[in-house]
Structure formats: structure tokens, C-alpha cells
Amino acid sequence: MRTVISVVGARPNFMKAAPVKRALDRISGIRHLLVHTGQHYDAAMSDVFFEELGLGAPDRFLGVGSGSHAEQTAKVMVEFERVCLEERPAMVVVYGDVNSTLAAGIVAKKLHIALAHVESGLRSRDRGMPEEINRIATDAITDLFFVTEESGRRNLLREGVEEGRVHLVGNTMIDSLAHLAGGMGPAPAGRTGVVVTLHRPSNVDNPEALECLVEAIDSGSGSEMVIFPVHPRTEGVLRAGGLYERLAANGRWRLLPPAGYRDFIGMVRTARLVVTDSGGIQEETTWLGVPCLTLRESTERPATIEQGTNDLVGTEPEAVRAAISDRLSAPPLLSHLVPPLWDGRAADRIARIIHQFLAQ
Ligand code: UD1
């Protein structure tokens, strides 16, 4: 029996890992353990996803919580090293680009444990983003690369990774989405509202810049309802400047606590438009065929633009206002493309490849 440990820590990790856990649990000869670092810990940021994704309780909870990048990364490393020394896994699987991803990866490699990275190879080429550092550093020590889109494969090959170690398998976040959407039935025909999510430090940590973005969204969205589930990082900044109360008093804005997975996807699939700075939401809207405007200067997920419904509009307030207003006055999308292998079966491919790798 070989032990494989999946490490998750922050909200977007949970939907990426859930289908992989299910697929690995079905393989005899593999004992799969799920470790939750506790990077995200609020019920609304963590527990609700475990329940809705049917993940059960994690096998280990490290309780690291919030802190500076160094504190958070270091705490994950100290705690996860103990787990690895006790469990002696043959492989550690990390997901995405959060601090827990990098921290667990470093621990695994220093203990000579094979490392697999799900969603490897994505590059925004913006090294001001903490996630870009996490991606580059994790991929520098990864053994087995699971890639969601062709750009990821190309990036890794350009960086000198051996071709045989790179596997374009599709997108496990889309596995979770396909599973959830399949149980929801067809989306209602009429779309309404603009769903907004903002949490990138570069957009929300500066109160004046955040206020300008919010005003641009407000004026661009005309008479549409704006539905805004607020990330705790963003809520802190909005409340400190009194903007939270002002928006809550505006009848056209609905400020909500961070939404659970089912509620969030429910909002997105009936929206006319999504305005976001998230990574994963660019992919979810692509699969659902919902127009998305991304308030960033770069994306590590170019397939969502080349094939999907995403547009990169930057963060300049007038450009944001104009893009929202233009999209809302454009005719609805009649058809859309979905990137290759985003078919709900990526995790099965990953489990098969891990099984083969461990058998060698
Ligand atoms: C993290 C990831 C980011 C991901 C995002 C999704 C890194 C570097 N960033 O950013 O890539 O897109 O998660 O949400 O790993 N907080 C709570 N409750 C929680 C968690 C956080 O109140 O359960 C608050 C704390 O004040 C904390 C702040 O949110 O200081 C930020 O949390 P943190 O985990 O540092 O980063 P995120 O902004 O959530």
C-alpha cells in the first residue's frame, strides 16, 4: 500500500482536490490522505466547501491560519513536515498557486518525496502577484506536472521541463463544476444581474483604488442589480473606509458574505455578466458560457480568452466602466467554446497517471 497525501489550504484548492480524492480513493493499492493546512479557516471559506463537495473531514488539519506570507508559509512547512515524517508518503499532491501549495511542495521535496502539481505551468508573467511566485517556485521542484490548458504545457517545456513529465489532463475544477451543474438542471432562460468578486491584494488593499473600482462598476452596470459576495480581505478594507455601509445602503447592490460553492455557481450561471479578479472564476464562466470581465492586467489562463468568454480589461476605472457598459449592451452570447479536456474527467486521468508513476 502506497500513501499519497493531497494538501489543500485555501478556498480554490477544495474544488480542485475533491475529484482527485474521489478518483484516488477508488484505486486499490493507494491510501489517500487529505491534509488541510487551515490557511482558510472561516466556515464560509472552508467548511461549507468540504460539506458541499462531499470531502468529509480532512485526515489532518494543521490550523495555520492567517499571517504574513512568510509566517503562513513557514507554519505550513513546520506542521506539514511532521505529517510527512509520520505518514511517510510515496507522493504529495499540491493544487493551484496558494501559499499552502508552495509550502507543502518544499517540504515534500526536501524529504525526497515525489511531488505532483495539479494546475501546473500557468504563468501570468506578473511577478508582483504572490501566486506567480508560488507557481514558478512549485514547478521548479515538481516531478509530475498536471496541466489544465495548452499554454501550461508550452510554458513548462520552455522552462526546460522534460516532456514525458507533463500531462495535459484537463481541469479538475471543471470536474467539480460539471458534477455540481449536472445536478442543478438547466439554467433559467433569462439572465439578470452583474456578479462581482474582488480579492486580489493589488485591487483591494489600497482603499482609494478599491473605491475607484467600485464606483466604475457602479456606473458601468447602469440599472442592473450588482451582486457582490465579499471576501474577508476585501470586507476589512471596505468597512475601514465606510464604503461597505454606503454600498449596503444602495438599493442596486447586494452585499453578501462569502458564498458557498452551490450558491456561488447558482448566482454565476444566471448572471448577465461576471466582473472578477479571481483566477478560477475565469474558468468557471468559460465553461458555463457566461460573459466575464477580468479586472487584471494579465491572466495565467489565456484559454479563457482565446476560447472562452473572458476579457481582460485591466484596472483603469474608465476602462472598467466602459467594458461593463459595452458588455451589458451587447447581444447575449449564442454559443461558446470550452477548452479541450474540460469534460469532467480530468481527475480520473490524474489518478491513472499517479498509479502508473508509483508502480514504476
Ligand atoms: C488566498 C490565495 C489566493 C486565492 C485566495 C482565494 C495566497 C498567496 N493567496 O488569498 O491565491 O485566490 O486565497 O480566496 O495563498 N481571512 C479570513 N478568514 C479566512 C481566511 C482569510 O478572515 O478563512 C482573512 C484574513 O484577514 C487574512 C485575509 O483574509 O489575513 C487574507 O487571507 P489569505 O489566506 O492570506 O489570502 P487570500 O487573500 O484569501
Side-chain angles (χ1 to χ4, degrees), residues 10-12 39-43 45-46 65-67 69 72 97-100 130-131 134 199-201 231-233 278-279:
R11 189 167 59 173
Q39 175 174 344
H40 284 174
Y41 44 84
D42 283 347
M45 299 291 285
S46 174
S66 299
H69 285 272
Q72 199 169 54
D97 55 16
V98 302
N99 287 343
S100 300
E131 293 82 1
N134 292 340
H199 76 282
R200 273 282 137 244
H231 187 284
R233 173 190 282 277
S278 150

PDB file of all heavy atoms in Angstrom, residues 10-12 39-43 45-46 65-67 69 72 97-100 130-131 134 199-201 231-233 278-279, ligand 1:
ATOM      1  N   ALA A  10      -6.608  26.692   0.846  1.00  0.00           N
ATOM      2  CA  ALA A  10      -7.434  27.873   0.617  1.00  0.00           C
ATOM      3  C   ALA A  10      -8.594  27.520  -0.315  1.00  0.00           C
ATOM      4  O   ALA A  10      -8.534  26.532  -1.050  1.00  0.00           O
ATOM      5  CB  ALA A  10      -6.584  28.984   0.012  1.00  0.00           C
ATOM      6  N   ARG A  11      -9.602  28.346  -0.271  1.00  0.00           N
ATOM      7  CA  ARG A  11     -10.885  28.082  -0.933  1.00  0.00           C
ATOM      8  C   ARG A  11     -10.766  27.439  -2.320  1.00  0.00           C
ATOM      9  O   ARG A  11     -11.390  26.407  -2.555  1.00  0.00           O
ATOM     10  CB  ARG A  11     -11.669  29.400  -0.963  1.00  0.00           C
ATOM     11  CG  ARG A  11     -13.074  29.292  -1.414  1.00  0.00           C
ATOM     12  CD  ARG A  11     -13.837  30.562  -1.111  1.00  0.00           C
ATOM     13  NE  ARG A  11     -13.269  31.739  -1.751  1.00  0.00           N
ATOM     14  CZ  ARG A  11     -13.839  32.943  -1.735  1.00  0.00           C
ATOM     15  NH1 ARG A  11     -14.997  33.119  -1.114  1.00  0.00           N
ATOM     16  NH2 ARG A  11     -13.277  33.972  -2.319  1.00  0.00           N
ATOM     17  N   PRO A  12      -9.974  28.021  -3.243  1.00  0.00           N
ATOM     18  CA  PRO A  12      -9.996  27.422  -4.588  1.00  0.00           C
ATOM     19  C   PRO A  12      -9.345  26.039  -4.652  1.00  0.00           C
ATOM     20  O   PRO A  12      -9.533  25.323  -5.640  1.00  0.00           O
ATOM     21  CB  PRO A  12      -9.215  28.424  -5.445  1.00  0.00           C
ATOM     22  CG  PRO A  12      -8.414  29.220  -4.491  1.00  0.00           C
ATOM     23  CD  PRO A  12      -9.143  29.232  -3.186  1.00  0.00           C
ATOM     24  N   GLN A  39      -5.104  27.369   6.037  1.00  0.00           N
ATOM     25  CA  GLN A  39      -4.858  28.736   5.527  1.00  0.00           C
ATOM     26  C   GLN A  39      -6.172  29.514   5.507  1.00  0.00           C
ATOM     27  O   GLN A  39      -6.238  30.664   5.921  1.00  0.00           O
ATOM     28  CB  GLN A  39      -4.227  28.678   4.129  1.00  0.00           C
ATOM     29  CG  GLN A  39      -4.060  30.056   3.507  1.00  0.00           C
ATOM     30  CD  GLN A  39      -3.295  30.049   2.181  1.00  0.00           C
ATOM     31  OE1 GLN A  39      -2.626  29.085   1.830  1.00  0.00           O
ATOM     32  NE2 GLN A  39      -3.384  31.148   1.461  1.00  0.00           N
ATOM     33  N   HIS A  40      -7.219  28.902   4.990  1.00  0.00           N
ATOM     34  CA  HIS A  40      -8.573  29.439   5.148  1.00  0.00           C
ATOM     35  C   HIS A  40      -9.274  28.602   6.209  1.00  0.00           C
ATOM     36  O   HIS A  40      -9.151  27.381   6.224  1.00  0.00           O
ATOM     37  CB  HIS A  40      -9.349  29.397   3.825  1.00  0.00           C
ATOM     38  CG  HIS A  40      -8.910  30.485   2.865  1.00  0.00           C
ATOM     39  ND1 HIS A  40      -9.365  30.581   1.574  1.00  0.00           N
ATOM     40  CD2 HIS A  40      -8.057  31.532   3.032  1.00  0.00           C
ATOM     41  CE1 HIS A  40      -8.809  31.631   0.981  1.00  0.00           C
ATOM     42  NE2 HIS A  40      -8.009  32.225   1.847  1.00  0.00           N
ATOM     43  N   TYR A  41      -9.985  29.280   7.101  1.00  0.00           N
ATOM     44  CA  TYR A  41     -10.484  28.604   8.312  1.00  0.00           C
ATOM     45  C   TYR A  41     -11.916  28.985   8.642  1.00  0.00           C
ATOM     46  O   TYR A  41     -12.609  28.252   9.325  1.00  0.00           O
ATOM     47  CB  TYR A  41      -9.573  28.944   9.501  1.00  0.00           C
ATOM     48  CG  TYR A  41      -9.230  30.427   9.525  1.00  0.00           C
ATOM     49  CD1 TYR A  41     -10.065  31.359  10.094  1.00  0.00           C
ATOM     50  CD2 TYR A  41      -8.085  30.898   8.873  1.00  0.00           C
ATOM     51  CE1 TYR A  41      -9.775  32.711  10.049  1.00  0.00           C
ATOM     52  CE2 TYR A  41      -7.788  32.253   8.822  1.00  0.00           C
ATOM     53  CZ  TYR A  41      -8.634  33.149   9.414  1.00  0.00           C
ATOM     54  OH  TYR A  41      -8.350  34.475   9.346  1.00  0.00           O
ATOM     55  N   ASP A  42     -12.412  30.153   8.184  1.00  0.00           N
ATOM     56  CA  ASP A  42     -13.806  30.516   8.469  1.00  0.00           C
ATOM     57  C   ASP A  42     -14.733  29.469   7.863  1.00  0.00           C
ATOM     58  O   ASP A  42     -14.434  28.937   6.788  1.00  0.00           O
ATOM     59  CB  ASP A  42     -14.152  31.870   7.830  1.00  0.00           C
ATOM     60  CG  ASP A  42     -13.587  33.045   8.615  1.00  0.00           C
ATOM     61  OD1 ASP A  42     -13.151  32.837   9.762  1.00  0.00           O
ATOM     62  OD2 ASP A  42     -13.571  34.163   8.069  1.00  0.00           O
ATOM     63  N   ALA A  43     -15.872  29.249   8.523  1.00  0.00           N
ATOM     64  CA  ALA A  43     -16.827  28.269   7.994  1.00  0.00           C
ATOM     65  C   ALA A  43     -17.181  28.606   6.541  1.00  0.00           C
ATOM     66  O   ALA A  43     -17.250  27.728   5.681  1.00  0.00           O
ATOM     67  CB  ALA A  43     -18.080  28.238   8.858  1.00  0.00           C
ATOM     68  N   MET A  45     -15.437  30.087   4.322  1.00  0.00           N
ATOM     69  CA  MET A  45     -14.308  29.988   3.386  1.00  0.00           C
ATOM     70  C   MET A  45     -13.818  28.549   3.262  1.00  0.00           C
ATOM     71  O   MET A  45     -12.994  28.244   2.403  1.00  0.00           O
ATOM     72  CB  MET A  45     -13.138  30.846   3.880  1.00  0.00           C
ATOM     73  CG  MET A  45     -13.420  32.326   4.011  1.00  0.00           C
ATOM     74  SD  MET A  45     -13.651  33.120   2.431  1.00  0.00           S
ATOM     75  CE  MET A  45     -11.965  33.202   1.836  1.00  0.00           C
ATOM     76  N   SER A  46     -14.286  27.672   4.160  1.00  0.00           N
ATOM     77  CA  SER A  46     -13.705  26.333   4.213  1.00  0.00           C
ATOM     78  C   SER A  46     -14.752  25.238   4.430  1.00  0.00           C
ATOM     79  O   SER A  46     -15.036  24.453   3.536  1.00  0.00           O
ATOM     80  CB  SER A  46     -12.639  26.317   5.321  1.00  0.00           C
ATOM     81  OG  SER A  46     -12.132  25.037   5.512  1.00  0.00           O
ATOM     82  N   GLY A  65      -3.805  29.125   9.855  1.00  0.00           N
ATOM     83  CA  GLY A  65      -4.472  30.430   9.891  1.00  0.00           C
ATOM     84  C   GLY A  65      -3.784  31.499   9.054  1.00  0.00           C
ATOM     85  O   GLY A  65      -2.951  31.201   8.195  1.00  0.00           O
ATOM     86  N   SER A  66      -4.179  32.762   9.313  1.00  0.00           N
ATOM     87  CA  SER A  66      -3.668  33.891   8.529  1.00  0.00           C
ATOM     88  C   SER A  66      -2.331  34.379   9.075  1.00  0.00           C
ATOM     89  O   SER A  66      -1.939  34.016  10.175  1.00  0.00           O
ATOM     90  CB  SER A  66      -4.673  35.041   8.568  1.00  0.00           C
ATOM     91  OG  SER A  66      -5.890  34.634   8.010  1.00  0.00           O
ATOM     92  N   GLY A  67      -1.696  35.246   8.290  1.00  0.00           N
ATOM     93  CA  GLY A  67      -0.424  35.831   8.712  1.00  0.00           C
ATOM     94  C   GLY A  67       0.256  36.427   7.501  1.00  0.00           C
ATOM     95  O   GLY A  67      -0.307  36.409   6.408  1.00  0.00           O
ATOM     96  N   HIS A  69       3.015  36.470   4.445  1.00  0.00           N
ATOM     97  CA  HIS A  69       3.365  35.346   3.560  1.00  0.00           C
ATOM     98  C   HIS A  69       4.395  34.446   4.231  1.00  0.00           C
ATOM     99  O   HIS A  69       4.270  33.224   4.201  1.00  0.00           O
ATOM    100  CB  HIS A  69       3.906  35.867   2.226  1.00  0.00           C
ATOM    101  CG  HIS A  69       2.820  36.390   1.350  1.00  0.00           C
ATOM    102  ND1 HIS A  69       2.115  35.588   0.483  1.00  0.00           N
ATOM    103  CD2 HIS A  69       2.274  37.622   1.250  1.00  0.00           C
ATOM    104  CE1 HIS A  69       1.196  36.314  -0.130  1.00  0.00           C
ATOM    105  NE2 HIS A  69       1.273  37.550   0.317  1.00  0.00           N
ATOM    106  N   GLN A  72       2.801  32.460   7.189  1.00  0.00           N
ATOM    107  CA  GLN A  72       1.868  31.422   6.753  1.00  0.00           C
ATOM    108  C   GLN A  72       2.629  30.254   6.106  1.00  0.00           C
ATOM    109  O   GLN A  72       2.389  29.092   6.422  1.00  0.00           O
ATOM    110  CB  GLN A  72       0.903  32.049   5.746  1.00  0.00           C
ATOM    111  CG  GLN A  72      -0.356  31.277   5.537  1.00  0.00           C
ATOM    112  CD  GLN A  72      -1.351  32.111   4.738  1.00  0.00           C
ATOM    113  OE1 GLN A  72      -1.018  32.590   3.648  1.00  0.00           O
ATOM    114  NE2 GLN A  72      -2.537  32.297   5.259  1.00  0.00           N
ATOM    115  N   ASP A  97      -2.025  27.540  -6.698  1.00  0.00           N
ATOM    116  CA  ASP A  97      -0.931  28.511  -6.553  1.00  0.00           C
ATOM    117  C   ASP A  97      -0.968  29.276  -5.243  1.00  0.00           C
ATOM    118  O   ASP A  97      -0.457  30.385  -5.162  1.00  0.00           O
ATOM    119  CB  ASP A  97      -0.992  29.493  -7.734  1.00  0.00           C
ATOM    120  CG  ASP A  97      -2.360  30.166  -7.851  1.00  0.00           C
ATOM    121  OD1 ASP A  97      -3.138  30.114  -6.873  1.00  0.00           O
ATOM    122  OD2 ASP A  97      -2.655  30.746  -8.913  1.00  0.00           O
ATOM    123  N   VAL A  98      -1.571  28.702  -4.216  1.00  0.00           N
ATOM    124  CA  VAL A  98      -1.655  29.455  -2.951  1.00  0.00           C
ATOM    125  C   VAL A  98      -0.422  29.166  -2.091  1.00  0.00           C
ATOM    126  O   VAL A  98       0.404  28.310  -2.424  1.00  0.00           O
ATOM    127  CB  VAL A  98      -2.976  29.139  -2.200  1.00  0.00           C
ATOM    128  CG1 VAL A  98      -4.168  29.467  -3.079  1.00  0.00           C
ATOM    129  CG2 VAL A  98      -3.038  27.687  -1.747  1.00  0.00           C
ATOM    130  N   ASN A  99      -0.294  29.881  -0.980  1.00  0.00           N
ATOM    131  CA  ASN A  99       0.903  29.702  -0.145  1.00  0.00           C
ATOM    132  C   ASN A  99       1.043  28.256   0.338  1.00  0.00           C
ATOM    133  O   ASN A  99       2.160  27.740   0.443  1.00  0.00           O
ATOM    134  CB  ASN A  99       0.855  30.666   1.047  1.00  0.00           C
ATOM    135  CG  ASN A  99       1.131  32.102   0.625  1.00  0.00           C
ATOM    136  OD1 ASN A  99       1.658  32.348  -0.463  1.00  0.00           O
ATOM    137  ND2 ASN A  99       0.765  33.056   1.462  1.00  0.00           N
ATOM    138  N   SER A 100      -0.080  27.608   0.624  1.00  0.00           N
ATOM    139  CA  SER A 100      -0.013  26.211   1.097  1.00  0.00           C
ATOM    140  C   SER A 100       0.576  25.295   0.028  1.00  0.00           C
ATOM    141  O   SER A 100       1.217  24.284   0.350  1.00  0.00           O
ATOM    142  CB  SER A 100      -1.412  25.718   1.467  1.00  0.00           C
ATOM    143  OG  SER A 100      -1.966  26.510   2.486  1.00  0.00           O
ATOM    144  N   PRO A 130       1.662  37.351  -5.749  1.00  0.00           N
ATOM    145  CA  PRO A 130       2.234  36.272  -4.924  1.00  0.00           C
ATOM    146  C   PRO A 130       2.010  34.894  -5.541  1.00  0.00           C
ATOM    147  O   PRO A 130       2.871  34.013  -5.444  1.00  0.00           O
ATOM    148  CB  PRO A 130       1.499  36.398  -3.580  1.00  0.00           C
ATOM    149  CG  PRO A 130       0.355  37.345  -3.798  1.00  0.00           C
ATOM    150  CD  PRO A 130       0.681  38.166  -5.002  1.00  0.00           C
ATOM    151  N   GLU A 131       0.873  34.729  -6.216  1.00  0.00           N
ATOM    152  CA  GLU A 131       0.572  33.415  -6.805  1.00  0.00           C
ATOM    153  C   GLU A 131       1.569  33.053  -7.892  1.00  0.00           C
ATOM    154  O   GLU A 131       1.860  31.877  -8.094  1.00  0.00           O
ATOM    155  CB  GLU A 131      -0.840  33.392  -7.403  1.00  0.00           C
ATOM    156  CG  GLU A 131      -1.958  33.496  -6.384  1.00  0.00           C
ATOM    157  CD  GLU A 131      -2.249  34.919  -5.950  1.00  0.00           C
ATOM    158  OE1 GLU A 131      -1.585  35.863  -6.462  1.00  0.00           O
ATOM    159  OE2 GLU A 131      -3.127  35.098  -5.086  1.00  0.00           O
ATOM    160  N   ASN A 134       4.498  31.584  -6.302  1.00  0.00           N
ATOM    161  CA  ASN A 134       4.162  30.224  -5.848  1.00  0.00           C
ATOM    162  C   ASN A 134       4.161  29.243  -7.022  1.00  0.00           C
ATOM    163  O   ASN A 134       4.631  28.116  -6.899  1.00  0.00           O
ATOM    164  CB  ASN A 134       2.791  30.209  -5.156  1.00  0.00           C
ATOM    165  CG  ASN A 134       2.800  30.960  -3.836  1.00  0.00           C
ATOM    166  OD1 ASN A 134       3.863  31.171  -3.243  1.00  0.00           O
ATOM    167  ND2 ASN A 134       1.633  31.361  -3.356  1.00  0.00           N
ATOM    168  N   HIS A 199     -10.752  40.254  -4.729  1.00  0.00           N
ATOM    169  CA  HIS A 199      -9.962  39.934  -3.533  1.00  0.00           C
ATOM    170  C   HIS A 199      -8.455  40.023  -3.751  1.00  0.00           C
ATOM    171  O   HIS A 199      -7.688  39.853  -2.814  1.00  0.00           O
ATOM    172  CB  HIS A 199     -10.310  38.531  -3.031  1.00  0.00           C
ATOM    173  CG  HIS A 199      -9.695  37.441  -3.862  1.00  0.00           C
ATOM    174  ND1 HIS A 199     -10.209  37.073  -5.069  1.00  0.00           N
ATOM    175  CD2 HIS A 199      -8.597  36.680  -3.659  1.00  0.00           C
ATOM    176  CE1 HIS A 199      -9.453  36.105  -5.576  1.00  0.00           C
ATOM    177  NE2 HIS A 199      -8.474  35.844  -4.749  1.00  0.00           N
ATOM    178  N   ARG A 200      -8.014  40.278  -5.019  1.00  0.00           N
ATOM    179  CA  ARG A 200      -6.563  40.350  -5.268  1.00  0.00           C
ATOM    180  C   ARG A 200      -5.982  41.500  -4.463  1.00  0.00           C
ATOM    181  O   ARG A 200      -6.504  42.628  -4.531  1.00  0.00           O
ATOM    182  CB  ARG A 200      -6.317  40.719  -6.710  1.00  0.00           C
ATOM    183  CG  ARG A 200      -6.241  39.818  -7.759  1.00  0.00           C
ATOM    184  CD  ARG A 200      -5.159  38.958  -8.150  1.00  0.00           C
ATOM    185  NE  ARG A 200      -5.874  37.732  -8.424  1.00  0.00           N
ATOM    186  CZ  ARG A 200      -5.723  36.619  -7.774  1.00  0.00           C
ATOM    187  NH1 ARG A 200      -4.793  36.508  -6.861  1.00  0.00           N
ATOM    188  NH2 ARG A 200      -6.455  35.590  -8.036  1.00  0.00           N
ATOM    189  N   PRO A 201      -4.889  41.279  -3.739  1.00  0.00           N
ATOM    190  CA  PRO A 201      -4.268  42.363  -2.967  1.00  0.00           C
ATOM    191  C   PRO A 201      -4.059  43.627  -3.805  1.00  0.00           C
ATOM    192  O   PRO A 201      -4.307  44.740  -3.340  1.00  0.00           O
ATOM    193  CB  PRO A 201      -2.930  41.760  -2.525  1.00  0.00           C
ATOM    194  CG  PRO A 201      -3.163  40.275  -2.507  1.00  0.00           C
ATOM    195  CD  PRO A 201      -4.198  39.996  -3.552  1.00  0.00           C
ATOM    196  N   HIS A 231     -15.201  38.929  -0.084  1.00  0.00           N
ATOM    197  CA  HIS A 231     -14.093  38.182   0.531  1.00  0.00           C
ATOM    198  C   HIS A 231     -13.680  38.893   1.826  1.00  0.00           C
ATOM    199  O   HIS A 231     -13.700  40.125   1.877  1.00  0.00           O
ATOM    200  CB  HIS A 231     -12.940  38.165  -0.475  1.00  0.00           C
ATOM    201  CG  HIS A 231     -11.779  37.304  -0.087  1.00  0.00           C
ATOM    202  ND1 HIS A 231     -10.863  37.671   0.864  1.00  0.00           N
ATOM    203  CD2 HIS A 231     -11.372  36.095  -0.535  1.00  0.00           C
ATOM    204  CE1 HIS A 231      -9.938  36.717   0.992  1.00  0.00           C
ATOM    205  NE2 HIS A 231     -10.230  35.748   0.146  1.00  0.00           N
ATOM    206  N   PRO A 232     -13.285  38.132   2.869  1.00  0.00           N
ATOM    207  CA  PRO A 232     -12.919  38.789   4.143  1.00  0.00           C
ATOM    208  C   PRO A 232     -11.822  39.838   4.000  1.00  0.00           C
ATOM    209  O   PRO A 232     -11.855  40.883   4.662  1.00  0.00           O
ATOM    210  CB  PRO A 232     -12.449  37.636   5.037  1.00  0.00           C
ATOM    211  CG  PRO A 232     -12.640  36.370   4.292  1.00  0.00           C
ATOM    212  CD  PRO A 232     -13.254  36.671   2.969  1.00  0.00           C
ATOM    213  N   ARG A 233     -10.840  39.593   3.130  1.00  0.00           N
ATOM    214  CA  ARG A 233      -9.781  40.584   2.911  1.00  0.00           C
ATOM    215  C   ARG A 233     -10.397  41.899   2.426  1.00  0.00           C
ATOM    216  O   ARG A 233     -10.051  42.986   2.904  1.00  0.00           O
ATOM    217  CB  ARG A 233      -8.802  40.042   1.857  1.00  0.00           C
ATOM    218  CG  ARG A 233      -7.750  41.036   1.403  1.00  0.00           C
ATOM    219  CD  ARG A 233      -6.985  40.504   0.206  1.00  0.00           C
ATOM    220  NE  ARG A 233      -5.980  39.512   0.536  1.00  0.00           N
ATOM    221  CZ  ARG A 233      -4.745  39.791   0.966  1.00  0.00           C
ATOM    222  NH1 ARG A 233      -4.356  41.030   1.132  1.00  0.00           N
ATOM    223  NH2 ARG A 233      -3.897  38.822   1.230  1.00  0.00           N
ATOM    224  N   SER A 278     -10.568  37.069  -9.891  1.00  0.00           N
ATOM    225  CA  SER A 278     -10.197  35.707  -9.490  1.00  0.00           C
ATOM    226  C   SER A 278      -9.555  34.956 -10.650  1.00  0.00           C
ATOM    227  O   SER A 278      -9.755  35.293 -11.820  1.00  0.00           O
ATOM    228  CB  SER A 278     -11.470  34.987  -9.033  1.00  0.00           C
ATOM    229  OG  SER A 278     -11.389  33.604  -9.280  1.00  0.00           O
ATOM    230  N   GLY A 279      -8.814  33.909 -10.345  1.00  0.00           N
ATOM    231  CA  GLY A 279      -8.298  33.030 -11.393  1.00  0.00           C
ATOM    232  C   GLY A 279      -9.350  32.020 -11.816  1.00  0.00           C
ATOM    233  O   GLY A 279      -9.733  31.935 -12.985  1.00  0.00           O
TER     234      GLY A 279
HETATM  235  C1  UD1 B   1      -5.625  33.335  -0.902  1.00  0.00           C
HETATM  236  C2  UD1 B   1      -4.609  32.990  -2.001  1.00  0.00           C
HETATM  237  C3  UD1 B   1      -5.156  33.455  -3.338  1.00  0.00           C
HETATM  238  C4  UD1 B   1      -6.532  32.893  -3.595  1.00  0.00           C
HETATM  239  C5  UD1 B   1      -7.434  33.283  -2.437  1.00  0.00           C
HETATM  240  C6  UD1 B   1      -8.839  32.761  -2.587  1.00  0.00           C
HETATM  241  C7  UD1 B   1      -2.232  33.083  -1.402  1.00  0.00           C
HETATM  242  C8  UD1 B   1      -0.996  33.874  -1.548  1.00  0.00           C
HETATM  243  N1  UD1 B   1      -3.356  33.699  -1.797  1.00  0.00           N
HETATM  244  O1  UD1 B   1      -5.732  34.749  -0.835  1.00  0.00           O
HETATM  245  O2  UD1 B   1      -4.291  32.978  -4.354  1.00  0.00           O
HETATM  246  O3  UD1 B   1      -7.023  33.427  -4.791  1.00  0.00           O
HETATM  247  O4  UD1 B   1      -6.864  32.752  -1.237  1.00  0.00           O
HETATM  248  O5  UD1 B   1      -9.676  33.209  -1.570  1.00  0.00           O
HETATM  249  O6  UD1 B   1      -2.180  31.959  -0.982  1.00  0.00           O
HETATM  250  N2  UD1 B   1      -9.349  35.594   6.163  1.00  0.00           N
HETATM  251  C9  UD1 B   1     -10.450  35.368   6.951  1.00  0.00           C
HETATM  252  N3  UD1 B   1     -10.940  34.102   7.027  1.00  0.00           N
HETATM  253  C10 UD1 B   1     -10.382  33.063   6.363  1.00  0.00           C
HETATM  254  C11 UD1 B   1      -9.258  33.309   5.564  1.00  0.00           C
HETATM  255  C12 UD1 B   1      -8.758  34.578   5.471  1.00  0.00           C
HETATM  256  O7  UD1 B   1     -10.995  36.268   7.573  1.00  0.00           O
HETATM  257  O8  UD1 B   1     -10.893  31.924   6.477  1.00  0.00           O
HETATM  258  C13 UD1 B   1      -8.837  36.981   6.051  1.00  0.00           C
HETATM  259  C14 UD1 B   1      -7.697  37.282   6.974  1.00  0.00           C
HETATM  260  O9  UD1 B   1      -7.820  38.578   7.384  1.00  0.00           O
HETATM  261  C15 UD1 B   1      -6.479  37.171   6.070  1.00  0.00           C
HETATM  262  C16 UD1 B   1      -7.040  37.631   4.727  1.00  0.00           C
HETATM  263  O10 UD1 B   1      -8.404  37.186   4.737  1.00  0.00           O
HETATM  264  O11 UD1 B   1      -5.446  37.953   6.547  1.00  0.00           O
HETATM  265  C17 UD1 B   1      -6.344  37.054   3.556  1.00  0.00           C
HETATM  266  O12 UD1 B   1      -6.250  35.624   3.633  1.00  0.00           O
HETATM  267  P1  UD1 B   1      -5.005  34.871   2.958  1.00  0.00           P
HETATM  268  O13 UD1 B   1      -5.164  33.415   3.119  1.00  0.00           O
HETATM  269  O14 UD1 B   1      -3.735  35.479   3.439  1.00  0.00           O
HETATM  270  O15 UD1 B   1      -5.095  35.278   1.428  1.00  0.00           O
HETATM  271  P2  UD1 B   1      -6.336  35.455   0.440  1.00  0.00           P
HETATM  272  O16 UD1 B   1      -6.461  36.891   0.136  1.00  0.00           O
HETATM  273  O17 UD1 B   1      -7.542  34.739   0.935  1.00  0.00           O
END
